Amino acid sequence: GGRVSAEVLKRVRVYAGVSRDKNNRDGDATRRLLVGGYATNVLKTGLDLSASDSLMDRASGSYHSRYVQVGRQFGRRLYLSGDYSTSLSVVRFSRSDGLVIETRPETTRVSGSATATVSSSWSLMGTVEQTWETGLTDVRALTGLTYRIR
């Protein structure tokens, strides 16, 4: 596959791509089209925006996977972001020899993240997300500490 990106305005990039891949080792090849873009400091508000739409074209039918993210820096040490995505694929372990992608009717995910810079080398990160599938709801929290090696 391949991907092309271009800066259409200052701090605004768009991209498009096409590829053929397999979701499962034993599955048929799938055509995937991707369009998206991102912009930083939109209208001088400090907001960063990112969005993409991916079209998967399978023999069993085609579907879209969408992603939107909004983020903003607060001061010199804190970055907050939120995102929304929809998808039809969920990764699950099902065989001893690897992963199988399980197709579900639809998965919707909403999350919020915060990254706080503690020092020039240390940062704290936290994420809370909720996913909805047909008949299932899942809430997760992830925290972490990172150290930058210079």
Side-chain angles (χ1 to χ4, degrees):
R3 182 168 144 168
V4 175
S5 66
E7 187 171 15
V8 294
L9 298 170
K10 187 176 181 178
R11 296 185 306 266
V12 177
R13 293 190 73 82
V14 295
Y15 53 87
V18 62
S19 64
R20 281 185 71 72
D21 59 13
K22 288 186 173 190
N23 287 339
N24 296 318
R25 180 183 61 197
D26 302 329
D28 294 330
T30 300
R31 184 173 61 116
R32 185 181 308 256
L33 302 173
L34 171 69
V35 295
Y38 58 92
T40 59
N41 195 18
V42 175
L43 300 173
K44 298 185 180 182
T45 62
L47 291 175
D48 303 325
L49 301 176
S50 178
S52 67
D53 187 0
S54 188
L55 171 66
M56 280 61 105
D57 192 11
R58 295 179 171 172
S60 60
S62 62
Y63 69 90
H64 287 270
S65 177
R66 295 177 177 94
Y67 176 78
V68 176
Q69 181 185 39
V70 178
R72 188 173 194 286
Q73 183 81 29
F74 292 92
R76 293 180 53 211
R77 299 186 178 267
L78 181 63
Y79 190 84
L80 300 177
S81 66
D83 64 74
Y84 169 85
S85 63
T86 62
S87 177
L88 287 183
S89 295
V90 175
V91 178
R92 69 177 172 90
F93 291 93
S94 65
R95 300 189 315 209
S96 62
D97 62 346
L99 292 174
V100 171
I101 307 297
E102 178 182 298
T103 301
R104 300 273 180 94
E106 183 176 8
T107 300
T108 301
R109 179 182 166 272
V110 176
S111 74
S113 297
T115 303
T117 303
V118 178
S119 69
S120 61
S121 298
W122 291 95
S123 296
L124 294 170
M125 188 274 292
T127 300
V128 175
E129 71 176 27
Q130 184 167 5
T131 59
W132 296 271
E133 297 174 34
T134 304
L136 298 170
T137 298
D138 193 18
V139 177
R140 297 181 184 144
L142 171 71
T143 60
L145 178 66
T146 60
Y147 178 75
R148 183 182 308 170
I149 300 172
R150 293 180 184 229

